[in-house]
Amino acid sequence: MLLEKLKQYNVILASNSPRRRELLADLGIDFQVRTMSDIVENYPPGLPVMEIAEYLSRKKAHAYNSEMNFGEIVITADTVVILGDEVLGKPKDADDARHMLRELSGKVHKVVTGVTIITPTDMRSFSVVTDVEFAPLSDEDINYYVDNYRPLDKAGAYGIQEWIGCMGVRSISGSFYNVMGLPLHRLYNELDNLLKD
């Protein structure tokens, strides 16, 4: 069983996201959190939007490469929200969050999470895509959410597990946990395959 195999390793989640910490804990994996504050999350112009999240997760992983010790497994991740050909990152301020939510209102968008798993001798990356459809959101709904929750630390200015997701998400196609920031089913299987090799 994977959880037994992982007891031989020091699993490190390289993320400041409280949601990713909760999700990885939900898998029953013992892990530590280790973060670096100086990783610049930019990507080359012209990179296809569907490849950005995985590119950024690899970029984060490379930053940890030289810091790794034998017996460590480091997990990095990045999540982007894509509407059409536009990437919606974390909003700059409350007005930007309101603008993003108005853009998402009544439309289908894609949430892409890129994940990279590294050991001192191996690196593997993957992306998971989920389609999310919002019902039309009124300005009153949007203002209530922005004023009472924390949209500024979330790609696309919303958390699907929060009030706006509960009342505003009409349908979802794909992994719910992916929208929260970590595709658990795929991650579990990738870790299992890594330790079989």
Side-chain angles (χ1 to χ4, degrees):
M1 183 183 183
L2 175 62
L3 296 180
E4 286 298 316
K5 293 183 212 167
L6 284 174
K7 288 179 181 175
Q8 303 168 46
Y9 297 88
N10 183 18
V11 179
I12 295 158
L13 176 64
S15 175
N16 282 315
S17 166
R19 291 162 300 283
R20 289 196 183 111
R21 294 175 195 184
E22 289 169 17
L23 290 171
L24 193 57
D26 285 345
L27 275 183
I29 294 173
D30 290 325
F31 65 94
Q32 299 174 339
V33 174
R34 186 188 300 166
T35 60
M36 293 182 179
S37 58
D38 55 349
I39 301 171
V40 180
E41 294 186 26
N42 59 7
Y43 48 87
L47 184 69
V49 291
M50 298 299 287
E51 297 177 18
I52 290 170
E54 191 171 328
Y55 174 89
L56 290 173
S57 78
R58 279 198 306 272
K59 186 174 184 180
K60 292 174 185 178
H62 283 299
Y64 286 86
N65 245 349
S66 60
E67 307 284 323
M68 289 193 68
N69 299 310
F70 182 76
E72 288 186 340
I73 298 173
V74 176
I75 301 166
T76 62
D78 196 87
T79 301
V80 297
V81 170
I82 299 169
L83 181 62
D85 290 326
E86 183 184 3
V87 175
L88 303 182
K90 295 175 183 175
K92 300 186 291 290
D93 53 32
D95 285 342
D96 194 29
R98 289 184 182 92
H99 171 74
M100 286 186 186
L101 292 169
R102 284 189 201 104
E103 288 290 302
L104 295 172
S105 174
K107 297 175 187 161
V108 176
H109 63 274
K110 295 185 182 299
V111 179
V112 184
T113 299
V115 179
T116 298
I117 305 167
I118 54 169
T119 71
T121 58
D122 197 1
M123 176 184 289
R124 52 183 69 193
S125 299
F126 60 90
S127 293
V128 173
V129 182
T130 304
D131 290 330
V132 180
E133 180 186 8
F134 264 113
L137 302 171
S138 69
D139 282 347
E140 188 178 25
D141 294 333
I142 289 169
N143 289 331
Y144 175 80
Y145 178 69
V146 172
D147 292 343
N148 290 280
Y149 291 84
R150 299 179 59 187
L152 301 187
D153 69 339
K154 298 173 179 72
Y158 78 94
I160 194 168
Q161 72 280 10
E162 294 177 341
W163 178 82
I164 202 160
C166 298
M167 61 72 65
V169 170
R170 180 179 279 159
S171 69
I172 178 171
S173 177
S175 167
F176 174 82
Y177 300 110
N178 185 54
V179 184
M180 285 183 68
L182 205 58
L184 295 182
H185 172 75
R186 180 73 183 272
L187 175 61
Y188 191 91
N189 282 281
E190 292 285 346
L191 285 167
D192 200 30
N193 290 334
L194 173 72
L195 297 184
K196 281 177 185 167
D197 294 348

